[in-house]
Amino acid sequence: MNEDTMLVQRIANGTVVDHIPAGRALSVLRLLGEPQKRGVRVAIVMNVKSSKMGVKDLVKVEGLEIEEQTAQRLALIAPQATINIIREYEVVQKTKAVPPEVVYALLKCVSSSCITNKEREPLVTTFYRRSHKPLVYSCRYCGRDIDENEISEQLIGVSL
Ligand code: CTP
Ligand code: ZN
């Protein structure tokens, strides 16, 4: 029995997002559209030991299977995440999150002088992936880079 199974039970159906960098579990829930606010049962495990990562977070969402597009977006804040789809207590699908090449309307540019941050110019933000490891995106409009640590801070509230 590993450390997280001691803390929370296995789930019957749903999704387990594993290998989340420690401290980012709440950002993951935000990206998933805060399912806990819709009455969905959610388990959050933080700071458990991981052989690959040192420490990690983990999120279990019951009765909800995360879609491919959402899985990709998850990679923005958890580039090493494993997404496990669970059916009748079995892991039926295990995928690695892959950061998307283009990110629309999901990140706020860090530059206050960027046109996307001007009230009179309501523009949908667009970021292009410049590097995968480490993860770096750049703003389509001002070219400003946004690194892995900044990404989770710049997430615009989403409901998916
Ligand atoms: N899990 C769960 N409920 C289930 C089955 C699995 O909550 N019915 C969780 C496990 O606790 C684990 C994750 O889903 O955190 C992945 O399960 P599994 O593939 O069995 O674990 P590992 O082999 O350790 O995963 P990996 O190889 O990806 O590290
Ligand atoms: Zn910008």
Side-chain angles (χ1 to χ4, degrees), residues 21-70:
R24 301 234 178 106
L26 296 176
S27 300
V28 165
L29 278 177
R30 229 179 123 195
L31 241 176
L32 297 181
E34 313 270 24
Q36 75 279 14
K37 293 186 181 168
R38 304 194 304 269
V40 174
R41 284 218 301 177
V42 169
I44 305 168
V45 181
M46 294 175 118
N47 298 323
V48 286
K49 281 200 201 97
S50 155
S51 52
K52 282 181 232 166
M53 306 177 70
V55 280
K56 67 174 180 183
D57 288 357
L58 204 119
V59 168
K60 302 190 182 195
V61 185
E62 205 167 61
L64 204 99
E65 294 190 359
I66 293 177
E67 286 171 12
E68 178 59 33
Q69 196 202 22
T70 311

Side-chain angles (χ1 to χ4, degrees), residues 18-146:
D18 196 1
H19 307 121
I20 302 166
R24 301 234 178 106
L26 296 176
S27 300
V28 165
L29 278 177
R30 229 179 123 195
L31 241 176
L32 297 181
E34 313 270 24
Q36 75 279 14
K37 293 186 181 168
R38 304 194 304 269
V40 174
R41 284 218 301 177
V42 169
I44 305 168
V45 181
M46 294 175 118
N47 298 323
V48 286
K49 281 200 201 97
S50 155
S51 52
K52 282 181 232 166
M53 306 177 70
V55 280
K56 67 174 180 183
D57 288 357
L58 204 119
V59 168
K60 302 190 182 195
V61 185
E62 205 167 61
L64 204 99
E65 294 190 359
I66 293 177
E67 286 171 12
E68 178 59 33
Q69 196 202 22
T70 311
Q72 268 206 351
R73 289 172 160 203
L74 269 183
L76 289 173
I77 48 172
Q80 306 176 57
T82 310
I83 293 129
N84 300 279
I85 304 292
I86 317 286
R87 289 186 195 145
E88 291 174 1
Y89 289 98
E90 298 293 329
V91 178
V92 295
Q93 189 188 314
K94 191 185 275 287
T95 50
K96 276 291 188 188
V98 177
E101 281 176 26
V102 185
V103 177
Y104 292 109
L106 197 64
L107 295 170
K108 189 172 145 39
C109 186
V110 281
S111 166
S112 55
S113 57
C114 180
I115 192 165
T116 59
N117 286 323
K118 303 285 179 213
E119 270 177 37
R120 293 170 64 89
E121 302 275 357
L123 275 176
V124 174
T125 66
T126 308
F127 285 82
Y128 298 123
R129 194 183 70 202
R130 287 213 311 117
S131 156
H132 192 164
K133 286 176 188 171
L135 203 55
V136 180
Y137 281 89
S138 65
C139 175
R140 172 185 169 181
Y141 295 97
C142 73
R144 173 70 156 78
D145 281 352
I146 177 168

